[in-house]
Amino acid sequence: AIQMTQSPSSLSASVGDRVTITCRASQGIRSDLNWYQQKPGKAPKLLIYAASSLQGGVPSRFSGSGSGTDFTLTISGLQPEDFATYYCLQDYDYPWTFGQGTKVEIK
Amino acid sequence: QVKLVESGGGVVQPGKSLRLSCAASGFTFRSYGMHWVRQAPGKGLEWVAVMSYDGSKEYYADSVKGRFIISRDNSKNTLSLQMNSLTAEDTAVYYCVHIGGYNAMDVWGQGTTVTVSS
């Protein structure tokens, strides 16, 4: 199975900060990478699909980049509602695999 | 709009079975693949299984292969997950998820909780 290594596992940031989360695949996965946001007690929400495409309704401060094995989620100008846990997911090959998650906390 | 409602969760003893269901509405169910994803308490997300739109293909996580069976009834707009030989490690919230464009899991149900305990 393809392993997804996400970093950092947690970070503290302030409102307005630029935040970057990375995800590395154990083998090349083209651009078959999605990013999700999850708040406590809620189902995950799709933010980015195909590595860099913004899901409809998602604020433009969220962006994704990368291909092959290295991917990045960037939040430009962190907002109070962005404090949550973020996961990457490879949909290149079954079994699909998630990163272990990055918890973004308030500094 | 796409709506997914899971049911069937509960408390079950180790070694027993449980069947989860997902009622889908707001889209042409028979045209879309569907997934199950789970999340153990305090842990990350784990992909569980997928079934193609017509039921011809199914794939499983290694952790559930041979124990869980995914199925669908396109006449009733329902996705199911038959879970057998349950262990404590299967304790989780189970989500039913719709596959949208670009093969992305774009709409999630609210989840149903399964607790395996004696």
Side-chain angles (χ1 to χ4, degrees):
Chain A
I2 298 172
Q3 295 186 14
M4 305 302 296
T5 303
Q6 196 173 330
S7 62
S9 56
S10 65
L11 65 90
S12 295
S14 300
V15 172
D17 283 354
R18 179 184 178 94
V19 169
T20 298
I21 299 168
T22 64
C23 198
R24 174 165 290 177
S26 60
Q27 67 180 75
I29 58 170
R30 302 181 307 193
S31 295
D32 297 339
L33 189 286
N34 306 318
W35 290 97
Y36 293 86
Q37 176 194 66
Q38 187 180 34
K39 296 181 179 179
K42 300 294 187 180
K45 173 186 175 182
L46 177 65
L47 299 176
I48 302 285
Y49 62 92
S52 60
S53 296
L54 194 67
Q55 174 71 349
V58 174
S60 59
R61 62 181 178 273
F62 292 93
S63 64
S65 64
S67 67
T69 59
D70 294 309
F71 302 86
T72 299
L73 173 70
T74 300
I75 311 172
S76 301
L78 198 66
Q79 296 299 302
E81 60 268 30
D82 300 337
F83 292 95
T85 301
Y86 294 84
Y87 295 92
C88 63
L89 166 72
Q90 68 82 15
D91 62 5
Y92 173 78
D93 191 24
Y94 292 113
W96 288 8
T97 42
F98 287 91
Q100 75 273 27
T102 296
K103 187 173 184 179
V104 177
E105 298 176 301
I106 302 173
K107 182 182 285 184
Chain B
Q1 70 280 19
V2 175
K3 186 175 182 181
L4 303 169
V5 179
E6 302 93 337
S7 60
V11 180
V12 61
Q13 293 179 331
K16 300 294 188 181
S17 299
L18 200 63
R19 187 178 181 87
L20 305 183
S21 294
C22 171
S25 60
F27 66 105
T28 306
F29 182 74
R30 64 180 180 274
S31 297
Y32 292 87
M34 297 290 295
H35 295 263
W36 288 99
V37 174
R38 69 184 181 182
Q39 186 169 36
K43 302 297 185 182
L45 299 168
E46 180 185 17
W47 176 83
V48 173
V50 62
M51 175 157 273
S52 62
Y53 69 99
D54 60 357
S56 63
K57 296 180 182 178
E58 58 196 82
Y59 299 93
Y60 298 91
D62 290 344
S63 59
V64 307
K65 196 175 298 182
R67 299 188 300 122
F68 288 13
I69 300 172
I70 189 172
S71 62
R72 64 190 297 157
D73 186 338
N74 285 346
S75 68
K76 297 182 179 179
N77 291 352
T78 300
L79 180 74
S80 297
L81 186 68
Q82 176 67 40
M83 304 186 297
N84 302 320
S85 303
L86 287 162
T87 73
E89 287 65 44
D90 297 314
T91 294
V93 175
Y94 285 74
Y95 295 101
C96 168
V97 194
H98 169 276
I99 300 178
Y102 292 91
N103 213 30
M105 296 193 290
D106 62 348
V107 180
W108 298 58
Q110 85 288 350
T112 188
T113 301
V114 173
T115 302
V116 184
S117 174
S118 54

